[in-house]
């Protein structure tokens, strides 16, 4: 018997089996995407990039979920498409893909698009998608149904109806379909089956929640009005920001909300009892005035401290951030001062807090250091032609640009009318309305007469110098014939710079 031949065959069969086990996720591209999606009433698509670390981490979990959901009745199909591939870029733009991985739930052959807001591990993906594939609002017919469908730690929106039909009921189902990615919905003909709230004799929207008053009723079923009610009622009077994962959904809603934000940070282990009730009382007073309130643990809020340029030693501290980015701050605040400080804020008596690094005692490098407190004097009102870089210390592109800016600055060392400068945009506030900094590095040129222009040319010494020479204001006493030894860098005029490019 030829055992070697048998082993080869078994090896091939084993390889085929393994390959088949890994084919539960459909691979799509621009040639088959539309056709495949159009054939499914419910399909889940991951837009990914092969080089993305988060995508690589998701891949085995997504595959496990696809394998499990393939046996669902009916099967739930999971697919993926390389959105970084140039051939698929048009699809990525159509679906407004701005980061990787992005997962979309496509319904009715792709006519309805829903963001996937669920977990990123296999078990959670399966549970979330089974729920999303089912009815937007299941019926509660018994207390057992209520216990199964209502998670005491989550928000559930329940429609209570004398009859499960009619215009009002249909509006509720439309609402549930629209918001099913963000909230759990259910409906019932008997309010007594619900864990909270009494009986009702008319159609009622009952929002059950794990905080504040635990439930609240609403009787308007117009979709826009009901959506607004749910959005407002699902945010706690005071959002708790700690390491409890159950609170993260409310923290996200807080930071994504449209209101101005009041944030009190303290040490939960030693200071929470002294502050909590008084802060909540203040929040109740002002929550209708366009303010949302958050109470954060110093340890959990380390990222917020970095963002505001603060230190944990300043806690307890309260920060208000308005919609336009204006900030107000009170460090080492006492519990009894919260109410009066918030009143002063509402009355317009507080001065905005401006984050700035200390003014450097020595500033003799070729590229001058600008901080928020010197921005107006050194740049905006300097009467000089200034090229200003907004950078981040961790930014790789900024690090690559640094030696080039040094060379440009050295070239202009003998020109007192030109200044090359930089500002750490992570450690200094940027004036609103004057600069538009959305990424790093961002370069602006301010001419001596005050004209402000963003530089988006090549990041080479020659290109930057050419730009400066083209946009600078020459001193009145200077002749139009540029003198290379004293007024232009290293004999580089506009024409010669063009020749070098």
């Amino acid at each position: 018997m030829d055992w070697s031949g048998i082993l080869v065959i078994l090896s091939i069969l084993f390889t085929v089996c393994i390959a088949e086990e890994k084919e539960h996720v459909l691979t799509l591209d621009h040639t088959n995407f539309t056709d495949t999606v159009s054939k499914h009433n419910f399909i889940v698509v991951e837009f990914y990039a092969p080089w993305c670390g988060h995508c690589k981490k998701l891949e085995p979990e997504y595959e496990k979920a696809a394998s499990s959901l393939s046996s669902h009745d009916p099967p739930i199909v999971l697919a993926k498409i390389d959105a970084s591939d140039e051939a698929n870029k048009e699809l990525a733009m159509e679906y407004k893909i701005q980061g990787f991985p992005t997962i979309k739930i496509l319904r009715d052959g792709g006519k309805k698009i829903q963001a996937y807001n669920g977990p990123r591990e296999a078990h959670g993906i399966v549970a979330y998608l089974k729920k999303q594939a089912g009815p937007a609002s299941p019926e509660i017919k018994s207390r057992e149904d209520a216990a199964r469908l209502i998670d005491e730690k989550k928000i559930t929106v329940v429609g209570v109806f004398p009859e499960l039909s009619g215009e009002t009921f249909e509006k509720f189902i439309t609402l549930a379909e629209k918001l099913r990615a963000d909230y759990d919905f259910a409906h019932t003909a008997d309010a007594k089956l619900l864990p909270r709230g009494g009986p009702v004799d008319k159609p009622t929207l009952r929002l059950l929640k794990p905080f504040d008053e635990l439930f609240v009723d609403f009787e308007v079923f117009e979709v826009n009005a009901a959506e607004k009610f749910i959005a407002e009622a699902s945010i706690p009077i005071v959002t708790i920001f700690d390491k409890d994962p159950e609170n993260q959904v409310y923290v996200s809603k807080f930071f994504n909300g449209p209101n101005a934000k009041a944030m009190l940070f303290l040490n939960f282990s030693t200071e929470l009892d002294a502050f909590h009730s008084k802060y909540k009382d203040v929040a109740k007073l002002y929550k209708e005035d366009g303010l949302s309130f958050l109470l954060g643990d110093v340890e959990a809020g380390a990222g917020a401290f970095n963002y505001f340029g603060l230190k944990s030693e300043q806690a307890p501290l309260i920060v208000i951030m308005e919609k336009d980015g204006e900030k107000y701050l009170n460090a080492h605040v006492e519990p009894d001062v919260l109410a009066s400080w918030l009143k002063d804020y509402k009355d317009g008596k507080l001065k905005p807090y401006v984050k700035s690094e200390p003014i450097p005692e020595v500033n003799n490098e070729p590229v001058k250091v600008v901080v928020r407190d010197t921005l107006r004097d050194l740049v905006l009102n300097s009467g000089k032609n200034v090229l200003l870089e907004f950078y981040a210390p961790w930014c790789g592109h900024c690090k690559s640009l640094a030696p080039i800016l040094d060379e440009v600055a050295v070239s202009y060392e003998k020109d007192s009318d030109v200044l090359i400068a930089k500002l750490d945009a992570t450690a200094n506030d940027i004036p609103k309305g004057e600069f538009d900094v959305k990424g790093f590095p961002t370069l602006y040129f301010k001419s001596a007469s005050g004209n402000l222009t963003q530089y988006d040319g090549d990041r080479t010494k020659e290109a930057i110098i050419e730009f400066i020479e083209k946009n600078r204001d020459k001193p009145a006493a200077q002749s139009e014939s540029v003198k290379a030894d004293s007024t232009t860098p290293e004999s580089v005029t506009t024409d010669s710079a063009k020749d070098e490019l």
Side-chain angles (χ1 to χ4, degrees), residues 431-448:
K432 301 297 176 184
E434 295 186 79
F435 302 98
D436 183 22
V437 179
K438 294 180 179 177
F440 304 115
T442 294
L443 293 166
Y444 270 90
F445 182 76
K446 198 277 303 177
S447 71

Side-chain angles (χ1 to χ4, degrees), residues 136-137 157-159 161 167-186 205-207 218 220-231:
S137 175
V157 184
V158 183
F161 302 91
E167 183 181 357
T168 303
F169 179 73
E170 292 303 321
K171 287 180 179 178
F172 174 77
I173 296 300
T174 299
L175 177 72
E177 287 283 2
K178 183 178 182 181
L179 301 181
R180 66 184 297 164
D182 301 309
Y183 304 96
D184 291 340
F185 282 83
L205 201 65
R206 177 164 293 172
L207 190 144
F218 191 65
V220 179
F221 282 82
E222 294 299 330
V223 173
N224 290 339
E227 185 176 356
K228 184 174 185 245
F229 157 73
I230 293 170

Side-chain angles (χ1 to χ4, degrees), residues 372-436:
R372 179 63 173 83
D373 288 342
T374 61
L375 180 62
R376 198 150 297 279
D377 289 340
L378 291 183
V379 179
L380 298 176
N381 297 336
S382 67
K384 293 178 180 291
N385 299 286
V386 183
L387 181 75
L388 177 64
E389 177 202 18
F390 294 92
Y391 75 97
W394 42 260
C395 166
H397 294 297
C398 302
K399 293 175 182 177
S400 298
L401 181 61
I404 297 171
L405 288 183
D406 282 339
E407 291 181 16
V408 173
V410 169
S411 297
Y412 280 104
E413 277 187 322
K414 295 181 180 180
D415 190 334
S416 61
D417 294 311
V418 176
L419 181 72
I420 312 299
K422 62 182 179 180
L423 181 144
D424 181 350
T426 68
N428 298 274
D429 280 341
I430 301 169
K432 301 297 176 184
E434 295 186 79
F435 302 98
D436 183 22

